[in-house]
């Protein structure tokens, strides 16, 4: 397999790890250093992978990640009052910036957010006076000498312990959490409201956005995603099912129902259909690392917005435009409601998002190139660079192209993540986690 | 019979009101309405030609959407965003149909149907109970027991199959136009969608209409204690009705690769009679539809089954729509 035909010349990606999860992966997130990669699944479990230190010295195996810790974050719950089951599926994981030896992350299901502390233990005290080595208490009368317990090395143990539980603040299903740059607060967003929390305080949160109408029959728009600005601790954005993004300044008022900026692109009249609104619904919004831009993902495209220009995006990338003529079928089988995520690379020059048939797409903003790659075992041979894929939209299908009608819409890549510094990406298919790295 | 009535009504409606204004594009490579430029021999053919595939597609989209809303409580993961988007789509379609006049035509036809079917007090009674329900629901009510006819995996290209769906769901849709004011007026009023918000979220106490469409259907006629048994029998009836509907759903042949308008409607015409035959045959078997139960539970109604059976011979096509609404 040659890499010569690769369209996006910057990226020659190799598969370095494939991890099969027990349950459907529902979120993927690198921590701030990139050393740790967390995945959440439908069963409420969190699996954390750690980059191998030894690999850092061997550039060829930079992307070698191994399981570091696994824990059950959320359990299924039953709301007896309303006779509703609360799913344990992890909707989002967000890491806190590291402050000490331990790592902290927030994980959330539909209703409850939890702060987890992940710490290592590689020493343990030995030589107690009142306890035997196995933990049994000694009879004090048998103690004749005193000694100072000392730390002895032990096998590395990674412990995850829940430090905070932020519950009962959301009536609707939580879709986003975002840690503020002040590292003291974070926001959580559900379909109709956004709450602001202090990481230390679990019994109180402030409601900062509320779009619930007085009469629910008048509900026509929901919140789909929200994120804090990476640098400005007073600024956050939230996206809606009508394709709008609102930027809010918390200094302006306590309740941020009035937006500071409204980002919306006028509709293209030539593409108008009954599905226009549905495909304009934004499934993900992400600020660039610089904080100057934000990216939104709607059903067919990825848009880059300059925060200084509300009228239209500065860049638009078509993810799978060939689906535009299939919208009715996709509406019928509900695929049109799939929520794809998107992500930036470390220096904001490339953006990535998923598609169907286990395809994912990368758009190089600088060089104006894009590539379609596939995350599958068949196409990911070890030591071989991923071959670009092409979807044939009509007419004659060339060799190696795949026709639109042959796409498998059950194989969707909704979650992808990019290492904050290096060209290492994590791509989640239904229950496989692929880690690719740049061939050097 | 009921399917044929629906189709003819719509055919007439669309014949009168050829959709004006900006046409919205439909996906899936559907043909745009054929510009009438072919020879017309008969007036009926002319009416048929006036029918645009766009209207049919729009109708099937509406029906699909209503079914989705109706079944949203059956999703593994209740999804408020999805429901809102579907409801908005339904609203859009209804607005456009109102502008076209298609909506009014259909509801007027229903009013006519209702007026003509005054021969049985039972029907009115049942309607009243239904209206009471609708009042309680304060909005669109697509009754749960109405079966989902072949909606699963129905390819978009098979317009004919969708027509079956459309017919079945239209029936559901016509029910949704029942207004709370009077049994005999079926004006749509505002298309107040009140689908599954309450159930999907976790039920806000400050909302009056906590009832869901499905709950309403289940609660029909009783409204208070001791509903469990009735609810169970309703569910059973639903399944029975679904099985019955499933058995006489016409499995249409594979659609022609190039659906010219004529060909489209020639197939439709044939199906009319097939359906009529089958439906008539089936209806001779007394089965408890959900509204039969409703009637039997109602304090006013005597035995509706026998009286409706006796009236059957007198019913014309328009009366069939009433049957659908109030049960047979």
């Amino acid at each position: 397999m040659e890499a010569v035909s690769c369209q996006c010349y910057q990226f020659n990606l190799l598969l370095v790890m494939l991890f099969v999860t027990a349950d459907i992966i529902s979120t993927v997130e690198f921590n701030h250093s990139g050393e740790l990669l967390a995945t959440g699944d439908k069963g409420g479990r969190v699996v954390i992978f750690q980059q191998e230190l030894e690999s850092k010295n061997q550039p060829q195996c930079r992307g070698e990640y191994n399981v570091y810790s696994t824990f059950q974050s959320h359990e299924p719950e039953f709301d007896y009052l309303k006779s509703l089951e609360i799913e344990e599926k992890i909707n989002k994981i967000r890491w806190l910036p590291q402050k000490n030896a331990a790592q902290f992350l927030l994980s959330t299901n539909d209703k409850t957010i939890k702060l987890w502390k992940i710490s290592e233990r590689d020493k343990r005290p030995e030589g107690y006076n009142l306890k035997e080595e196995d933990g049994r208490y000694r009879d004090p009368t048998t103690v004749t000498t005193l000694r100072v317990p000392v730390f002895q090395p032990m096998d590395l143990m990674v412990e995850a312990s829940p430090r905070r539980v932020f519950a009962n603040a959301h009536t609707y299903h939580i879709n986003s959490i975002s840690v503020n740059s002040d590292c003291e607060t974070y926001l959580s967003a559900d379909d109709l409201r956004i709450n602001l929390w202090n990481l230390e305080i679990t019994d109180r949160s402030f409601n900062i956005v509320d779009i619930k109408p007085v009469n629910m029959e008048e509900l026509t728009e929901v919140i789909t995603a929200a994120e804090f600005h990476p640098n400005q601790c007073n600024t956050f954005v939230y996206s809606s099912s009508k394709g709008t993004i609102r930027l809010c300044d918390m200094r302006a008022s306590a309740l941020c129902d009035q937006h500071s900026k409204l980002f919306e692109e006028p509709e293209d009249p030539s593409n108008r259909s009954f599905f226009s609104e549905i495909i304009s619904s934004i499934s993900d919004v992400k600020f660039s690392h610089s904080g100057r831009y934000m990216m939104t993902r709607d059903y067919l495209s990825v848009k880059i917005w300059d925060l200084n220009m509300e009228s239209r995006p500065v860049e638009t990338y078509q993810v799978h435009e060939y689906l535009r003529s299939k919208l009715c079928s996709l509406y019928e089988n509900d695929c049109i409601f799939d929520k794809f995520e998107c992500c930036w690379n470390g220096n904001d020059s490339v953006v990535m998002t998923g598609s169907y048939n286990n395809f994912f797409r990368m758009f190089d903003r600088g060089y104006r190139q894009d590539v379609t790659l596939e995350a599958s075992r068949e196409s990911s041979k070890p030591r071989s660079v991923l071959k670009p894929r092409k979807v044939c939209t009509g007419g004659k299908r060339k060799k190696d192209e795949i026709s639109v009608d042959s796409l498998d819409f059950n194989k969707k890549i909704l979650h992808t993540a990019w290492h904050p510094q290096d060209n290492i990406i994590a791509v989640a298919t239904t229950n496989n986690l692929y880690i690719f790295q740049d061939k050097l | 019979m009921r399917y044929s009535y629906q189709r003819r009504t719509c055919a007439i409606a669309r014949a009168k009101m050829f959709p004006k204004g900006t046409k919205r594009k439909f996906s899936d490579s559907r043909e745009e309405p054929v510009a009438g430029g072919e020879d017309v021999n008969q007036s009926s053919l002319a009416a048929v030609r006036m029918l645009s595939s766009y209207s049919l597609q729009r109708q099937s989209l509406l029906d699909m959407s209503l079914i989705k809303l109706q079944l949203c409580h059956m999703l593994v993961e209740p999804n408020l965003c999805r429901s809102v988007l579907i409801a908005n789509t339904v609203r859009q379609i209804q607005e456009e149909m109102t502008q076209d006049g298609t909506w009014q035509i259909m509801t007027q036809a229903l009013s006519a149907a209702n007026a003509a079917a005054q021969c049985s007090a039972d029907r009115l009674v049942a309607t009243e109970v239904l209206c009471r329900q609708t009042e309680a629901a304060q909005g669109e009510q697509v009754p749960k027991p109405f079966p989902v006819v072949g909606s699963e995996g129905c390819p978009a290209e098979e317009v004919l199959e969708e027509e079956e769906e459309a017919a079945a769901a239209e029936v559901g849709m016509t029910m949704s136009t029942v207004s709370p004011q009077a049994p005999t007026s079926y004006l749509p009023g505002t298309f107040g969608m009140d689908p599954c918000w309450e159930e999907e979220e976790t039920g806000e106490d400050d909302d009056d209409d906590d009832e869901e469409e499905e709950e309403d259907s289940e609660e029909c006629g009783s409204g208070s204690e001791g509903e469990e048994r009735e609810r169970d029998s309703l569910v059973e009836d639903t399944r029975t009705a679904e099985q019955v509907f499933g058995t006489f759903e016409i499995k249409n042949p594979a659609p022609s690769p190039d659906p010219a308008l004529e060909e489209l409607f020639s197939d439709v015409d044939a199906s009319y009679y097939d359906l009529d035959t089958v439906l008539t045959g089936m209806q001779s078997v007394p089965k408890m539809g959900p509204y039969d139960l409703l009637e039997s539970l109602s304090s006013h109604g005597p035995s509706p089954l026998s009286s409706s059976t006796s009236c059957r011979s007198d019913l014309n096509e328009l009366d069939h729509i009433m049957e659908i609404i109030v049960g047979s």
Side-chain angles (χ1 to χ4, degrees), chain B residues 54-119:
Chain B
Y54 173 82
S55 293
L56 282 171
Q57 290 161 20
R58 181 176 64 183
Q59 186 64 50
S60 70
L61 181 63
L62 175 66
D63 302 329
M64 200 198 308
S65 306
L66 288 170
I67 291 170
K68 278 183 184 295
L69 280 174
Q70 189 181 354
L71 297 177
C72 67
H73 64 283
M74 283 170 59
L75 280 182
V76 174
E77 294 177 31
N79 192 333
L80 184 60
C81 182
R82 175 181 175 273
S83 300
V84 168
L85 290 172
I86 297 171
N88 290 350
T89 307
V90 171
R91 226 179 255 114
Q92 275 181 59
I93 297 172
Q94 191 241 356
E95 273 167 23
E96 192 178 279
M97 287 175 81
T98 307
Q99 284 167 17
D100 282 350
T102 321
W103 194 266
Q104 283 85 336
I105 296 284
M106 270 206 267
T107 52
Q108 279 165 24
L110 282 171
S111 306
N114 185 36
Q118 298 260 343
C119 63

Side-chain angles (χ1 to χ4, degrees), chain A residues 222-419:
Chain A
V222 300
I223 297 170
T224 52
E227 194 178 57
F228 264 119
H229 191 277
N231 310 321
Q232 298 164 17
C233 58
N234 55 288
T235 305
F236 67 93
V237 292
Y238 68 93
S239 60
S240 83
S241 57
K242 285 198 170 170
T244 63
I245 310 101
R246 288 172 173 82
L247 185 140
C248 301
D249 186 336
M250 295 195 293
R251 296 170 302 189
S253 68
L255 190 61
C256 297
D257 279 357
Q258 300 294 322
H259 52 264
S260 299
K261 293 191 183 183
L262 175 66
F263 297 83
E264 188 173 14
E265 183 171 25
E267 201 180 358
D268 178 6
S270 64
N271 271 335
R272 185 101 181 84
S273 75
F274 284 118
F275 304 109
S276 292
E277 187 185 311
I278 299 178
I279 62 168
S280 75
S281 174
I282 292 171
S283 51
D284 195 16
V285 64
K286 291 266 169 52
F287 278 105
S288 65
H289 292 92
S290 64
R292 171 136 182 239
Y293 298 97
M294 67 176 174
M295 164 168 56
T296 57
R297 174 72 155 97
D298 51 69
Y299 190 63
L300 295 180
S301 66
V302 161
K303 294 179 180 169
I304 312 284
W305 302 78
D306 185 323
L307 292 189
N308 298 316
M309 188 165 78
E310 299 163 63
S311 54
R312 64 177 186 283
V314 289
E315 295 154 36
T316 302
Y317 301 103
Q318 301 301 332
V319 180
H320 36 220
E321 181 70 9
Y322 46 79
L323 295 184
R324 193 179 289 273
S325 59
K326 307 282 177 194
L327 291 178
C328 198
S329 299
L330 295 165
Y331 178 70
E332 200 174 352
N333 63 16
D334 270 4
C335 281
I336 208 175
F337 302 108
D338 286 336
K339 292 189 165 37
F340 291 95
E341 293 173 9
C342 54
C343 59
W344 299 83
N345 75 337
N347 60 11
D348 300 335
S349 61
V350 185
V351 296
M352 172 168 67
T353 188
S355 178
Y356 293 105
N357 210 71
N358 284 342
F359 286 171
F360 59 99
R361 301 264 283 141
M362 289 180 166
F363 302 94
D364 188 320
R365 301 173 62 210
Y367 293 99
R368 297 281 165 183
Q369 292 188 339
D370 62 87
V371 69
T372 304
L373 299 167
E374 184 178 352
S376 70
R377 297 188 211 204
E378 296 77 33
S379 63
S380 310
K381 305 287 185 293
R383 315 267 179 274
S384 292
V385 170
L386 280 184
K387 204 174 67 158
R389 308 285 308 191
K390 193 139 167 43
V391 176
C392 161
T393 51
K396 292 172 66 167
R397 185 177 75 87
K398 299 194 190 67
K399 181 175 169 295
D400 289 343
E401 281 186 359
I402 181 165
S403 79
V404 184
D405 300 311
S406 309
L407 294 174
D408 188 342
F409 290 95
N410 292 318
K411 295 184 180 172
K412 47 193 93 170
I413 292 179
L414 303 173
H415 313 287
T416 57
W418 206 307
H419 190 284

Side-chain angles (χ1 to χ4, degrees), chain A residues 15-63:
Chain A
L15 174 69
V16 284
M17 207 203 76
L18 169 57
F19 186 79
V20 182
T21 55
D23 221 326
I24 297 170
I25 300 171
S26 50
T27 185
V28 182
E29 187 82 356
F30 279 100
N31 76 337
H32 293 268
S33 67
E35 186 199 350
L36 297 177
L37 173 67
T39 62
D41 70 20
K42 198 158 168 286
R45 269 177 304 276
V46 172
V47 180
I48 301 178
F49 301 84
Q50 184 189 42
Q51 196 173 23
E52 284 305 306
L53 287 170
E54 296 83 1
S55 314
K56 285 179 179 171
N57 299 327
Q58 297 171 26
Q60 281 70 30
C61 296
R62 224 164 12 130

